């Protein structure tokens, strides 16, 4: 042809990221000859659905394998040491072993606390009073988000006339894939509702858990197993109770007493329950934030508050309190 | 004007009342007379002489005086005719003989009362009647007593008092509708319609009108009424769906319509009618069909909030006769997936296959479970199995077992069923063949998508059901003004 040639304006194969939430329309350029409406083919650049399905299947198989492994581990434990529950050292070493590899075992973790997976989203429902936002639970929520795929939703109950906007966004922005609930490991549903704080999970097999302290204990178990050392566990427990009963709700006298004991405990170790950050730290920090007493705190407590701040877990609730 | 009190039957229908002289009353001052509403009778009006038109709710003579209760819609006030310098003995007798439900004009002095009148809506004042005129007389025998018709169910039996059964009510609907409960129900219903229109209009929806006489069954094959249409026959529309979808294809983007819907289902249950008012929504969406769910649920939440704010007295009135728990909801609305619902039901001991539809008892049970866990009476169930939905439902692109469809529930009963529709004629043909539907019959439906159709979805709500469930009533006939069911075609 007596025409000059132009270089192609773009390369032949452009990869286009297409959303996966829509159904596919066949390529409109594929068969020119047919009538307009009947032209359909795959849109170019789309990730092959077969590959995706294969990936999903593999994930599913891996998940099942891990579940199986956990069950077998459990069985092995009872078979090899029939009186495992009596032998504290054995069981504690076993549990620490089985919980060491965090991410891959996360599902089994959930299973041990929440019960068998029924193939649907396991939704934890928390009713909270908008006048007293449960700060510790919000911290635990952000920790859970780091560990699991958590679907977080905030609702306002019809018995509450209005809720400040920062409480509606306190669980962070809406997840991009929130339309597919089944793809999440854990649901965290926060309902602003008077009067008391309550957590519901399985209404058939479990009583509602009442009180922020108890809900916090439950949620923390989803993150790490409770210390197997009974002394340590009791210590954490007593700090949590002290935080919620005396620091958050107690009189000024009780308040300063707690601050003193906090100070002496933090003089001995970096965190409240020894060398590791624990629920005790979360509870005490949040209750201090709520009673806004951190400025008048003694030196060790001040230092501890600073190291808590440095962890970054508490920045969302600090924003909320402003 | 006149020396003392007189009673009249105007409009030329003069007749002697108890031997009294009756004067044809065509006074010139009538036009200037302002009539006061019963609800405006407050202590501020004390010692004023007013004119009032109302119904006689009851009249009770006691020696030299006669107590009347005058009613206007849901408001009533006590009135008194007593022998004195403004009223004669005969006038008291006349007042006592006015039949219940007659319409009267009275001129009366508003008086504050010492003790609150518990039985009336205007508790702080009573009327001292100076003149009373009968405008329209009711027949002496009423088919049902209004007081009986508003009595709560249990109470009547205990005290040996009468209650009125549903059929008597519906046969004499005009009188039944005068009760405070009925007044409240239908005012609330009007509120639902109003809020529905307002909310959607604000969201940019366009109200459309669709034909009710159609040539072919619009939805699958469910029962339709056949009507004769000149030399051939036609059907009554079962749902405006096809027309809503055609409007979407005609670029109206978001539409809704309010109109009658006909279902020839011979089911005599508490929640089925053969004709009801459908509130239908259809909209094109951009990226995900959850945009449709969000629009519909937000509309519902706005309706609930509007009712809670503007219809509190009506809700309380209905609750007096039919006690129920207040309607609870969450904002934004709770959305669960079908698999979650199945898991909840299985946990409760129900045995169901993955692709089975929910039976009515299971729906109820699920409603209770959801209420227990989330404390809401309104929720959406998303991602139904494809097998239990009509052929035009869009399959889930990620899992062929499920579909992009949803139901909404109020107090455990389904009020809306909707889905993303298949907007691709080829997929639609394929789905229709799969459901063994005669392609010839739905040709027009499929053809409407051949010239470019945006992805769209929608759903339809039954107005009567929404009112019934919002108020916690137990029969949809209570919220239908003149209900139509397989056994009732009148009034």
């Amino acid at each position: 042809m007596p025409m000059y040639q132009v270089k192609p304006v773009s390369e032949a194969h452009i990869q286009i990221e297409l959303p996966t939430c829509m159904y596919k329309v066949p390529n409109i350029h594929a068969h020119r000859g047919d009538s307009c409406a009947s032209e359909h083919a795959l849109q170019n650049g789309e990730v092959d659905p077969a590959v995706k399905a294969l990936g999903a299947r593999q994930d599913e198989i891996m998940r099942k394998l891990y579940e199986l492994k956990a069950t077998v581990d459990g069985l092995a434990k009872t078979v090899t040491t029939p009186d495992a529950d009596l032998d504290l050292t054995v069981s504690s070493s076993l549990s620490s072993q089985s919980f060491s590899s965090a991410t891959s075992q996360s599902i089994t973790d959930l299973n041990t606390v929440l019960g068998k997976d029924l193939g649907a989203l396991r939704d934890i429902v928390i009713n909270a009073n908008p006048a007293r936002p449960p700060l510790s639970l919000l911290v635990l929520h952000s920790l859970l988000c780091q560990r699991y795929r958590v679907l977080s939703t905030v609702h306002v109950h019809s018995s509450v006339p209005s809720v400040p906007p920062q409480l509606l966004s306190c669980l962070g922005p809406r997840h991009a894939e929130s339309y597919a609930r089944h793809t999440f490991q854990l649901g965290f549903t926060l309902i602003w509702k008077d009067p008391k704080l309550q957590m519901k999970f399985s209404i058939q097999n479990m009583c509602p858990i009442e009180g922020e302290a108890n809900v916090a204990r439950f949620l923390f178990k989803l993150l790490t197993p409770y210390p197997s050392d009974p002394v340590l566990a009791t210590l954490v427990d007593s700090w949590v109770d002290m935080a919620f009963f005396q620091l958050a709700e107690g009189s000024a006298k009780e308040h300063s007493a707690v601050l003193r004991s906090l100070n002496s405990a933090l003089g001995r170790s970096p965190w409240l329950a020894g060398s590791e950050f624990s629920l005790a730290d979360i509870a005490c920090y949040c209750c201090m934030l709520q009673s806004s007493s951190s400025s008048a705190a003694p030196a060790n407590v001040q230092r501890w508050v600073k190291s808590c701040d440095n962890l970054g877990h508490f920045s969302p609730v600090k924003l909320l309190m402003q | 004007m006149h020396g003392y009190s007189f009673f009249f039957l105007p409009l030329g229908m003069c007749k002697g009342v108890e031997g009294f002289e009756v004067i044809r009353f065509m006074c010139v001052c009538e036009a200037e007379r302002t009539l006061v509403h019963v609800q405006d009778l407050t202590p501020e009006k004390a010692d004023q002489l007013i004119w009032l038109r109302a119904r006689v709710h009851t009249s009770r003579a006691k020696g030299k005086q006669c107590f009347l209760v005058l009613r206007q819609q849901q408001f009533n006030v006590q009135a008194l005719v007593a022998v004195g310098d403004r009223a004669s003995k005969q006038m008291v007798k006349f007042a006592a003989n006015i039949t219940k439900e007659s319409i009267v004009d009275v001129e009366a002095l508003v008086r504050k009362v010492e003790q609150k009148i518990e039985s009336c809506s205007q508790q702080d004042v009573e009327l001292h009647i100076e003149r009373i005129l009968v405008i329209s007389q009711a027949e002496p025998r009423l088919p049902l007593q209004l007081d009986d018709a508003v009595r709560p169910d249990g109470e009547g039996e205990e005290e040996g008092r009468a209650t009125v059964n549903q059929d008597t009510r519906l046969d004499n609907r005009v009188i039944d509708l005068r009760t405070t409960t009925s007044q409240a129900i239908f005012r609330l219903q009007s509120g639902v319609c109003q809020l529905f229109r307002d909310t959607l209009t604000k969201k940019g929806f366009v109200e459309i009108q669709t034909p009710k006489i159609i040539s072919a069954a619009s939805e699958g094959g469910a029962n339709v009424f056949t009507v004769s249409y000149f030399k051939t026959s036609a059907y009554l529309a079962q749902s405006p769906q096809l027309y809503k979808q055609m409007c979407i294809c005609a670029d109206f983007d978001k539409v809704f319509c309010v109109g009658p819907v006909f279902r020839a289902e011979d089911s005599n249950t508490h929640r089925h009618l053969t004709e009801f008012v459908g509130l239908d929504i259809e909209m094109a969406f951009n990226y995900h069909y959850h945009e449709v769910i969000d629009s519909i649920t937000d509309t519902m939440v706005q309706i609930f909030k509007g009712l809670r704010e503007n219809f509190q007295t009506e809700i309380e009135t209905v609750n007096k006769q039919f006690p129920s728990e207040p309607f609870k909801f969450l904002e934004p609305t709770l959305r669960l997936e079908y698999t979650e619902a199945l898991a909840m039901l299985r946990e409760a001991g129900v045995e169901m296959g993955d692709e089975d539809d929910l039976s009515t008892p299971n729906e109820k049970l699920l409603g209770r479970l959801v209420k227990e866990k989330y404390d809401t009476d309104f929720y959406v169930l998303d991602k139904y199995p494809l097998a239990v939905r009509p052929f035009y439902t869009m399959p889930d692109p990620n899992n062929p077992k499920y579909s992009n469809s949803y139901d909404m529930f109020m107090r455990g009963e389904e009020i809306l069923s909707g889905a993303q529709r298949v907007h691709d004629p080829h997929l639609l043909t394929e789905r229709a063949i799969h459901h063994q539907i005669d392609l010839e019959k739905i040709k027009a439906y499929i053809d409407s998508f051949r010239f470019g159709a945006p992805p769209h979805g929608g759903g339809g709500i039954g107005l009567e059901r929404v009112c019934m469930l919002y108020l916690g009533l137990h029969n949809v006939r209570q919220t239908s003004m003149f209900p139509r069911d397989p056994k009732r075609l009148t009034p």
Side-chain angles (χ1 to χ4, degrees):
Chain A
M1 282 254 264
M3 298 275 282
Y4 74 103
Q5 273 192 324
V6 223
K7 268 197 259 177
V9 285
S10 65
E11 283 175 49
H13 299 287
I14 311 162
Q15 290 288 317
I16 302 169
E17 276 290 307
L18 286 171
T20 54
C21 60
M22 308 278 280
Y23 91 108
K24 290 175 199 73
V25 181
N27 192 343
I28 54 167
H29 305 293
H31 313 281
R32 268 280 152 76
D34 294 0
S35 76
C36 237
S38 65
E39 290 178 348
H40 292 294
L42 262 172
Q43 264 172 327
N44 43 2
E46 175 77 353
V47 183
D48 193 346
V51 174
K52 266 175 65 185
L54 200 64
R57 250 176 65 195
Q58 192 184 352
D59 286 352
E60 181 65 17
I61 291 168
M62 290 307 281
R63 195 179 63 79
K64 281 191 178 149
L65 273 176
Y66 280 125
E67 264 176 28
L68 198 65
K69 180 169 175 283
T71 326
V72 171
D73 277 353
L75 276 176
K77 195 167 82 180
T78 46
V79 170
T80 51
T81 54
D83 47 357
D85 45 341
L86 297 176
D87 193 345
L88 234 163
T89 48
V90 175
S91 75
S92 71
S93 69
L94 263 174
S95 68
S96 65
Q97 197 184 343
S98 64
F99 286 112
S100 55
S101 51
T103 42
S104 61
Q105 294 274 352
S106 59
I107 299 254
T108 26
D109 267 16
L110 282 180
N111 284 349
T112 52
V113 183
L114 298 181
K116 202 162 69 73
D117 186 4
L118 286 164
L121 178 76
R122 293 184 282 191
D123 201 1
I124 293 176
V125 181
I126 291 171
N127 297 328
N129 187 340
R132 280 188 67 84
L135 299 184
S136 62
L137 303 189
L138 301 182
V139 174
L140 286 166
H141 165 258
S142 58
L143 290 172
L144 282 170
C145 285
Q146 290 169 15
R147 176 97 182 259
Y148 306 106
R149 270 173 70 80
V150 181
L151 176 69
S152 335
T153 41
V154 184
H155 298 276
V156 181
H157 193 259
S158 55
S159 59
V160 177
S162 72
V163 164
Q166 71 265 30
L167 290 188
L168 293 179
S169 55
C170 64
L171 295 187
R174 186 165 155 171
H175 199 286
E177 280 176 48
S178 62
Y179 54 82
R181 284 170 70 92
H182 59 269
T183 57
F184 291 86
Q185 292 175 317
L186 190 66
F188 191 96
T189 304
L190 181 64
I191 301 175
W192 294 113
K193 176 186 162 193
D194 289 340
K196 61 183 176 225
L197 195 126
Q198 204 178 42
M199 191 202 96
K200 287 174 183 167
F201 175 64
S202 159
I203 41 172
Q204 294 292 325
N205 311 324
M206 208 170 109
C207 288
I209 298 179
E210 290 189 359
E212 192 176 334
N214 299 325
V215 177
R217 286 186 182 111
F218 182 87
L219 292 183
F220 196 72
K221 273 187 208 164
L222 297 177
L223 287 166
T224 35
Y226 235 54
S228 45
D229 174 12
V231 179
L232 199 61
T234 315
L235 187 68
V236 171
D237 256 347
S238 86
W239 278 121
V240 172
D241 277 342
M242 213 184 275
F244 285 102
F245 291 121
Q246 297 178 354
L247 210 53
E249 288 168 14
S251 63
K253 208 169 147 191
E254 283 175 304
H255 203 112
S256 49
V258 177
L259 281 185
R260 271 197 302 280
S261 46
L262 275 177
N263 196 38
S264 65
L266 291 167
R268 290 191 293 275
S269 57
W271 303 107
L272 284 173
S275 57
E276 294 213 17
F277 181 75
S278 71
L279 181 62
D281 300 287
I282 297 177
C284 288
Y285 182 92
C286 292
C287 290
M288 276 182 68
L289 202 63
Q290 230 153 12
S291 59
S292 58
S293 56
S294 51
S295 53
N300 287 337
V301 178
Q302 296 269 20
R303 181 177 50 76
W304 166 78
V305 166
K306 219 163 254 147
S307 34
C308 282
D309 285 342
N310 289 341
L311 280 180
H313 301 325
F314 297 101
S315 43
V317 295
K318 280 192 92 168
L319 271 175
L320 197 68
M321 285 306 282
Q322 275 162 12
Chain B
M1 244 168 18
H2 306 289
Y4 76 3
S5 325
F6 279 103
F7 346 97
F8 308 93
L9 282 169
L11 314 170
M13 286 178 54
C14 296
K15 67 179 183 188
V17 179
E18 306 289 314
F20 248 73
E21 182 194 1
V22 176
I23 292 169
R24 189 182 293 256
F25 186 78
M26 288 288 168
C27 185
V28 278
C29 60
E30 256 183 286
E32 290 147 34
R33 185 186 287 164
T34 45
L35 291 169
V36 175
H37 288 290
V38 169
Q39 72 184 106
D40 299 330
L41 292 174
T42 49
E44 287 90 71
K45 283 231 165 26
D47 301 323
Q48 287 179 24
L49 197 61
I50 52 118
W51 274 98
L52 178 82
R53 178 169 295 181
R55 256 179 217 285
V56 174
H57 186 63
T58 57
S59 80
R60 193 159 42 86
K62 228 165 130 190
K64 286 189 173 175
Q65 45 189 1
C66 173
F67 286 98
L68 299 166
V69 174
L70 300 179
R71 191 186 77 231
Q72 252 177 12
Q73 292 148 4
Q74 68 266 49
F75 306 103
N76 49 20
V77 65
Q78 176 168 290
L80 173 71
V81 190
V83 175
D85 45 342
R86 304 288 291 169
S88 66
K89 208 172 165 186
Q90 284 79 0
M91 178 166 161
V92 173
K93 198 174 174 199
F94 172 82
N97 280 332
I98 302 174
T99 49
K100 277 187 187 180
E101 298 300 303
S102 296
I103 297 172
V104 295
D105 267 12
V106 297
E107 186 186 30
L109 205 56
V110 184
R111 290 276 189 206
K112 251 196 237 177
V113 288
E114 295 297 309
Q115 218 169 8
K116 281 200 171 197
I117 303 162
E118 295 294 340
S119 57
C120 292
S121 68
Q122 309 312 110
Q123 303 196 327
D124 303 311
V125 291
E126 64 175 10
L127 300 177
H128 290 218
I129 295 178
E130 310 226 320
R131 285 199 274 178
I132 183 161
L133 307 116
V134 176
I135 301 294
S136 168
Q137 206 166 16
E139 283 188 17
R141 265 185 71 89
L142 292 173
L144 59 104
Q145 299 298 322
L146 263 75
D147 285 337
D148 297 340
V150 295
R151 192 161 288 136
D153 272 343
E155 222 169 84
E157 284 158 28
E158 281 166 28
E159 294 164 21
R161 291 204 214 142
T163 50
V164 186
N165 75 26
Q166 181 111 44
D167 275 328
T168 315
R169 282 168 190 277
L170 295 180
D171 288 339
N172 303 285
R173 195 63 163 154
V174 177
I175 299 177
D176 183 48
L177 287 175
R178 291 180 193 168
T179 60
T180 47
T181 309
S182 300
Q183 289 281 323
I185 290 173
F186 291 101
R187 272 155 215 278
L188 184 118
Q189 191 172 79
S190 145
V192 173
C193 264
Q194 178 77 34
L195 288 161
F196 181 77
R197 283 203 167 92
D198 288 354
T199 314
L200 288 174
T201 311
K202 234 180 271 168
K203 285 180 189 287
F205 280 74
V206 179
E207 176 160 10
I208 55 163
Q209 305 295 341
T210 61
K212 306 302 171 211
I213 303 175
I214 56 172
S215 65
S218 51
E219 247 179 77
N223 306 332
V224 286
F225 285 111
T226 316
V227 289
S228 73
Y229 196 74
F230 305 109
K231 285 192 179 122
T232 147
S233 60
Y235 303 99
L236 292 182
Q238 259 181 331
S239 117
Q241 190 183 327
L242 170 56
Y243 298 94
K244 288 190 300 181
Q245 289 192 259
M246 278 159 67
C247 286
I248 298 298
C249 294
D251 287 350
F252 278 92
D253 195 32
K254 298 164 168 185
V255 297
F256 72 96
C257 66
V258 178
V261 177
F262 305 89
R263 298 275 159 93
E265 289 168 11
D266 194 5
S267 43
N268 295 288
T269 69
H270 75 283
R271 58 177 194 158
H272 284 95
L273 292 173
T274 50
E275 176 182 346
F276 61 91
V277 178
L279 308 176
D280 281 89
I281 298 178
E282 197 77 25
M283 66 181 264
F285 60 82
N286 298 330
Y287 299 109
H288 200 275
Y289 76 101
H290 279 181
E291 292 164 35
V292 182
I293 297 189
D294 290 345
S295 282
I296 300 178
T297 54
D298 187 58
T299 307
M300 294 307 288
V301 166
Q302 296 310 323
I303 291 175
F304 299 148
K305 281 171 116 176
L307 293 178
R308 185 178 71 187
E309 275 147 35
N310 305 326
F311 290 87
Q312 203 51 53
T313 44
E314 277 81 0
I315 295 168
E316 278 161 21
T317 310
V318 177
N319 267 337
K320 258 183 232 160
Q321 187 177 0
F322 303 104
S324 71
E325 283 196 22
F327 188 81
K328 293 173 176 169
F329 56 91
L330 298 177
E331 187 186 9
T333 304
L334 176 71
R335 183 176 60 81
L336 298 175
E337 282 179 8
Y338 198 76
T339 45
E340 281 176 80
L342 280 185
M344 283 172 94
L345 283 171
R346 282 182 185 148
E347 207 183 7
V350 175
E351 282 180 25
M352 255 179 87
D354 274 344
E355 293 183 59
D356 289 353
D357 203 358
L358 285 176
S359 63
T360 313
N362 284 348
E363 261 177 36
K364 283 251 172 197
L365 175 62
L366 182 65
R368 278 204 301 279
L369 296 173
V370 170
K371 172 119 192 218
E372 178 97 28
K373 186 164 177 182
Y374 299 93
D375 200 25
T376 175
D377 287 311
F378 178 59
Y379 66 96
V380 184
L381 203 54
D382 191 16
K383 291 256 168 278
Y384 268 68
L386 185 60
V388 304
R389 304 300 272 200
F391 74 98
Y392 50 74
T393 309
M394 181 65 84
D396 182 349
N398 300 319
N399 188 342
K401 255 167 71 179
Y402 295 100
S403 61
N404 287 355
S405 62
Y406 40 85
D407 274 10
M408 296 186 189
F409 294 86
M410 278 171 77
R411 298 198 203 249
E413 288 190 36
E414 181 237 304
I415 55 150
L416 173 143
S417 185
Q420 177 185 351
R421 328 286 188 191
V422 178
H423 60 275
D424 176 90
H426 295 273
L427 185 55
L428 196 57
T429 314
E430 200 181 289
R431 295 297 311 157
I433 292 169
H434 181 82
H435 279 254
Q436 293 166 347
I437 292 169
D438 185 359
L439 287 177
E440 266 317 299
K441 278 190 176 163
I442 54 163
K443 188 170 177 298
Y445 182 66
I446 297 178
D447 283 348
S448 50
F449 302 111
R450 290 198 191 277
F451 309 101
H456 61 282
I461 314 163
L463 174 65
E464 287 86 351
R465 266 196 206 178
V466 170
C467 293
M468 164 178 87
L469 294 167
Y470 184 82
L471 291 167
L473 300 175
H474 298 297
N475 199 315
V476 72
R477 289 163 188 80
Q478 287 171 312
T479 54
S480 173
M481 206 161 243
F482 299 104
R484 293 283 175 266
D485 65 32
K487 297 207 168 88
R488 178 174 293 278
L489 207 50
T490 52

